[in-house]
Amino acid sequence: MTVLVTGAAGFIGFHTSLALLDRGDDVVGIDSVNDYYDVQLKEARLKVLNQRDGFTFERIDIADREAVGGLIAKHGGITGVVQLAAQAGVRHSLIDPYAYTRANVEGQLVVLEACRKLEKLDHFVFASSSSVY
């Protein structure tokens, strides 16, 4: 299987990617690596993942239709999607509500629409929204 993991630099996305790689899947990870959480921590996680065979990473904002569409065109063999990317931090939504709607609403729509072009897609898991855990 080739699985797209959005939010791959986050805590859950990192561990999900590791588990998928450990079971033998290829993983295409994407993340905007924004600065809401410690960027150095996210970069350290990506460094670990990038050392693994079968892992490919692209720095993409899931709300960027062109970038997500390009990724789907480039990796058309994706058979599964784990959608974990989101703008976290409920209190932050009061400061920057547009970051929330961009990532958590528009980004979700962009990912779903892009998946319609994946002819081999068998599974889609959506476990993302603000502070899902």
Side-chain angles (χ1 to χ4, degrees):
M1 277 181 77
T2 300
V3 181
L4 171 64
V5 177
T6 69
F11 179 80
I12 296 171
F14 169 70
H15 288 283
T16 300
S17 296
L18 284 177
L20 291 166
L21 291 165
D22 285 346
R23 79 175 195 182
D25 294 325
D26 290 329
V27 174
V28 177
I30 65 173
D31 200 297
S32 68
V33 191
N34 70 29
D35 63 358
Y36 184 77
Y37 289 118
D38 183 2
V39 172
Q40 289 180 341
L41 179 57
K42 293 176 184 182
E43 294 291 354
R45 291 178 184 143
L46 290 172
K47 184 177 179 181
V48 170
L49 290 171
N50 280 321
Q51 293 173 354
R52 298 287 303 266
D53 289 338
F55 183 77
T56 303
F57 178 75
E58 295 200 31
R59 190 176 300 244
I60 292 177
D61 177 343
I62 62 166
D64 182 337
R65 283 184 272 177
E66 286 186 27
V68 173
L71 175 102
I72 295 302
K74 184 176 176 182
H75 300 279
I78 292 171
T79 55
V81 174
V82 180
Q83 161 58 331
L84 299 170
Q87 175 60 54
V90 174
R91 289 184 187 100
H92 184 68
S93 70
L94 298 173
I95 297 166
D96 189 1
Y98 296 102
Y100 268 71
T101 58
R102 179 163 169 80
N104 300 359
V105 177
E106 188 176 348
Q108 173 70 4
L109 177 61
V110 169
V111 171
L112 287 171
E113 286 297 306
C115 286
R116 291 170 31 143
K117 295 180 174 94
L118 291 171
E119 295 178 8
K120 297 181 180 183
L121 184 66
D122 290 329
H123 302 284
F124 183 96
V125 176
F126 171 55
S128 162
S129 67
S130 175
S131 304
V132 68
Y133 43 88

